[in-house]
Amino acid sequence: MQRYFLTGENIAFFVLEVQTSPVAREQPMSATEGDAGQLPEVTHLQFLVLDVIAAIQETSATELRRHLEAFSTDQKGPKFYQLMGRLEKSGFVESWAQQYDVGGGSVSRTFYKLTEEGETARQITLEFYNSRLKLHAVVTERLKRSHERRRKQR
């Protein structure tokens, strides 16, 4: 059995054991073997919202929902405003309303922008997933090489 301790830029989070059979399994590392890493504070949907707002700066609720629809998210009406309310309560976004006169009546539109805390949460989440992608590439390459060596030994 070979033990690989995968380390690098924030990717030392598990040990890969390659046994004589072609089966590989992940085993969590202890705190002394490496940093297990922290899961991001935000969900994948919340991350998407923060990322979209970061890309377009300030945005109206209508525009933000349009961008989210491109990712096949069903965030309409109350679901959308509950999601945004949780992000605002967490301090990740700020919102404000603007009144517009339309045809003799008043229409209110809600706008959102990312806070400093929101940008920090977005960056932490982005780094978390980027490190997992790097790790995936390393593991995949090592598994391929190990499999090829075993194949040649047969």
Side-chain angles (χ1 to χ4, degrees):
M1 173 172 37
Q2 295 176 310
R3 290 176 65 114
Y4 293 106
F5 291 88
L6 304 173
T7 59
E9 297 176 9
N10 300 320
I11 60 172
F13 76 102
F14 72 78
V15 175
L16 179 71
E17 290 187 356
V18 179
Q19 302 171 343
T20 53
S21 70
V23 177
R25 72 176 200 269
E26 296 176 11
Q27 291 189 341
M29 294 177 73
S30 69
T32 57
E33 291 176 306
D35 180 12
Q38 294 279 327
L39 287 175
E41 290 182 48
V42 296
T43 67
H44 61 280
L45 180 58
Q46 290 170 332
F47 170 71
L48 178 61
V49 170
L50 297 177
D51 204 44
V52 168
I53 294 173
I56 56 179
Q57 306 299 314
E58 297 178 0
T59 182
S60 70
T62 305
E63 184 180 8
L64 181 55
R65 283 195 314 267
R66 241 184 269 127
H67 284 288
L68 294 176
E69 285 174 8
F71 293 95
S72 300
T73 62
D74 183 28
Q75 297 300 310
K76 296 178 183 150
K79 284 172 76 174
F80 173 78
Y81 288 103
Q82 288 170 358
L83 167 67
M84 297 310 296
R86 286 190 296 273
L87 287 171
E88 189 167 18
K89 186 176 179 182
S90 298
F92 296 146
V93 298
E94 291 178 359
S95 71
W96 68 95
Q98 287 185 354
Q99 300 290 327
Y100 296 95
D101 290 326
V102 177
S106 182
V107 175
S108 178
R109 292 184 73 189
T110 304
F111 288 83
Y112 297 96
K113 76 175 187 174
L114 211 54
T115 63
E116 192 173 311
E117 292 86 4
E119 178 58 25
T120 300
R122 187 183 80 80
Q123 284 297 323
I124 289 169
T125 306
L126 192 58
E127 289 170 13
F128 174 83
Y129 287 115
N130 279 335
S131 70
R132 289 349 174 241
L133 287 173
K134 289 176 189 175
L135 177 67
H136 176 72
V138 169
V139 169
T140 301
E141 183 58 34
R142 288 187 180 184
L143 285 172
K144 283 180 184 177
R145 282 188 266 147
S146 177
H147 182 71
E148 288 172 11
R149 279 194 303 268
R150 282 195 309 272
R151 185 184 245 172
K152 288 178 183 178
Q153 290 172 355
R154 291 183 191 166

